[in-house]
Amino acid sequence: MSVIEIHDLTKDYGHGRGVFHVSAQVEKGQCYGFLGPNGAGKSTTIRHLMGFSKPQIGRTLIDGKDCWTYSAELQREVGYLPGEIAFPTGMTGAQFLDMQKKMRGISDVTYLDRLLKRFELDPDIGLKQMSLGTKRKLAVVTAFMHDPKILILDEPTSGLDPIMQEIFIDYILEEKKRGKTIFLSSHIFHEVDALCDRIAIIRDGKIVSEFDPEVLKKESDKIYRVTFEDENQWKAFTSHNYTFTSINKPKLRARIQLKNSEITSFITDISQFHIKDFTEFPFSLEDYFMQFYHEDRKFEGVKQ
């Protein structure tokens, strides 16, 4: 049985907003990535997994329990990191963690102390004085402090600097090795590519692609860039019936996209020319993603 299940989840807020017939399953020890920009439906899906919202159609389950019916029980068990964080004012980070320890009945602070060290967090700072990055680290520690076996993470590295993002990724990879099950939403390609065993691309509240990234890397088209020594050679090559993604006359350069079945004939053709430079571009999750989200769409904050 899958640890996390989403069956035909639909919540229509009107005007095309919400999620529509979303289905996904996450097996034990697997990290499942939800990839999409703000407004695509990632947080809406997670709110249903956490039992904060009731589906209009469909169901969400964790450990076989309906997320709406057993919301209080599941919220105690799951490690949840929200996309937007808010802390009470008038206390320090340490006081907030003490409150969380009491609420969760945590008496052994060994794991908590390890998290504080790992994420380089000084909890004695007042919550009001904390920077956005420090608040984010506190949210991470709070979500993981009870060592949950299931993690629900909504844009987990938002607000963290690049070094801390890498520390977070290393930590999640270690947690996967310990057998933890993770549902992660993000718009950061590097994060999703590094962590996820399966990835779903969500657009306008609907899953438009679901795949194993390792299989996609093997089966995806290959992209090559070829630079020629003279214009005649360049003209002759670009007259071939290949899929050219760009042609640059001033630099006598062309970029082509090939299916695996075309590579043999391409090598035969290219061997007849005088090549100045030949470069193969590795698989890019961003390139695949952009097949579903056109370049002219606003998609802020995405980095590769």
Side-chain angles (χ1 to χ4, degrees), residues 195-210:
L195 293 175
C196 298
D197 303 294
R198 288 196 67 77
I199 299 171
I201 294 176
I202 184 168
R203 173 175 177 170
D204 299 331
K206 300 176 182 178
I207 292 179
V208 294
S209 181
E210 185 186 32

Side-chain angles (χ1 to χ4, degrees), residues 13 54 74 112 116 126 140 144 164 199 204 218 220 230 236 248 255 264 289 301:
Y13 295 111
K54 184 178 182 180
L74 291 172
L112 172 59
L116 292 172
V140 169
F144 301 159
M164 196 53 60
I199 299 171
D204 299 331
K218 294 176 182 177
S220 62
D230 64 72
N248 189 325
R255 185 179 298 201
T264 301
F289 176 90

Side-chain angles (χ1 to χ4, degrees), residues 58-125:
R59 298 180 73 194
T60 56
L61 302 98
I62 294 178
D63 269 345
K65 299 173 184 175
D66 183 90
C67 295
W68 176 256
T69 305
Y70 295 92
S71 59
E73 177 183 337
L74 291 172
Q75 287 166 22
R76 286 193 297 269
E77 297 175 358
V78 170
Y80 170 55
L81 183 59
E84 296 182 4
I85 53 175
F87 292 108
T89 57
M91 64 174 62
T92 66
Q95 290 171 330
F96 178 77
L97 289 173
D98 284 340
M99 180 179 70
Q100 293 295 313
K101 283 189 291 185
K102 291 176 182 176
M103 290 175 62
R104 293 194 175 278
I106 298 173
S107 56
D108 185 351
V109 296
T110 303
Y111 191 70
L112 172 59
D113 289 341
R114 197 174 356 171
L115 288 171
L116 292 172
K117 184 177 180 180
R118 182 71 174 267
F119 290 100
E120 302 174 8
L121 175 63
D122 177 4
D124 294 323
I125 304 172

